[in-house]
Amino acid sequence: MSMMAGIQGQVLEVTVVGCQKLKDTEWFSRQDPYVVLEYSSTRHRTRTCTDGGKNAVFQEKFMFTMLEGLRDLKVVVWNSNTLSTDDFIGNATIKLQKALSEGYDDCTWTLQGKNGRYAGEVRLILHYAAAKKQNYGSAQLAPPYAPQVPHYSAPYSGPSLYPQVQYSQPQSAYPPASAYPHQPSAYPPPSASAYPPAPSAYPPGPSAYPPPPPPSSTYPPQQSPYYPQGPYPGQYPPPPY
């Protein structure tokens, strides 16, 4: 069932708020605009805004009985003259789809002059009370089945609801082989220890040379018993004392 179906005989409420930036049709004085609304054979006219000029305020409300198949409203703005015919300022065609489906429409519409150029703006407020009843009746129908597609969400990062089981691998009897070949060291081997070596457990071997004689403890030295005492042949006798 369409939301705009069954408008026959329903009432549409139209409020003419005002006009702005109207084309000025007067040369020596301020113009006196008024607005005419036309729907089918029904016509409503606002009061004349004396000396309204380019910006006129009306704030007038009118009622229209809707006809099935007719969803346009005609708006015409005129300038009232006393001694001559009224001057045409501009017109517009108001589309009623939004008001008939949603029940409310507050919009400013652009007016066009005789040559199709911009001639100002008119503001209208539309109320359609039957839209609420139609929306309520259509809301009672069950909506068509549509499977719900779950939205993507980030993986669950909270604690697990199940106990965590730790598995350990059996240890090998062999040391693990390195994955890389042995590389020679870039540094020289450490130097000899700074500490003296430990004493040997064996006595030193005999020396190949006899040890020097110990110094004599008596003075003067004793004559050797292996050599005769002087005088010697070829020497001078010792001097007398």
Side-chain angles (χ1 to χ4, degrees):
M1 178 179 179
S2 175
M3 294 182 181
M4 293 186 296
I7 66 173
Q8 181 70 32
Q10 303 296 335
V11 177
L12 175 67
E13 178 182 294
V14 181
T15 301
V16 181
V17 178
C19 299
Q20 58 184 0
K21 303 177 184 179
L22 293 176
K23 176 184 177 182
D24 196 350
T25 59
E26 295 288 345
W27 292 94
F28 304 104
S29 61
R30 295 173 62 89
Q31 63 183 0
D32 306 321
Y34 64 92
V35 178
V36 177
L37 303 177
E38 299 179 3
Y39 181 78
S40 184
S41 59
T42 304
R43 176 180 297 183
H44 293 288
R45 180 188 184 279
T46 66
R47 61 177 176 83
T48 300
C49 184
T50 304
D51 295 333
K54 296 182 178 181
N55 301 304
V57 179
F58 301 100
Q59 292 292 349
E60 295 187 43
K61 185 184 301 183
F62 305 95
M63 302 293 181
F64 293 91
T65 301
M66 305 302 296
L67 299 176
E68 192 66 43
L70 183 58
R71 294 181 173 89
D72 293 337
L73 180 68
K74 302 293 184 178
V75 179
V76 185
V77 181
W78 298 85
N79 173 39
S80 178
N81 292 322
T82 304
L83 302 178
S84 60
T85 57
D86 296 344
D87 299 321
F88 172 80
I89 297 178
N91 62 355
T93 301
I94 310 301
K95 301 298 181 180
L96 305 178
Q97 283 87 345
K98 182 178 180 180
L100 298 179
S101 60
E102 300 180 9
Y104 179 82
D105 187 11
D106 183 354
C107 189
T108 299
W109 302 84
T110 300
L111 300 172
Q112 293 182 349
K114 293 180 180 180
N115 53 7
R117 296 181 179 179
Y118 177 84
E121 299 174 355
V122 58
R123 180 185 173 190
L124 304 178
I125 298 178
L126 310 178
H127 284 276
Y128 183 64
K132 297 181 180 180
K133 299 178 182 179
Q134 294 175 357
N135 292 338
Y136 177 78
S138 61
Q140 301 300 320
L141 300 177
Y145 171 76
Q148 298 294 330
V149 179
H151 295 281
Y152 173 79
S153 60
Y156 177 72
S157 59
S160 176
L161 299 178
Y162 301 94
Q164 299 293 331
V165 180
Q166 300 292 337
Y167 298 94
S168 60
Q169 299 180 355
Q171 297 183 356
S172 175
Y174 301 94
S178 175
Y180 302 93
H182 176 72
Q183 299 292 336
S185 176
Y187 300 93
S191 60
S193 176
Y195 298 94
S200 176
Y202 301 93
S207 177
Y209 299 93
S216 175
S217 61
T218 60
Y219 186 83
Q222 299 294 328
Q223 295 182 356
S224 175
Y226 301 101
Y227 299 95
Q229 297 182 1
Y232 302 96
Q235 292 184 344
Y236 293 98
Y241 289 96

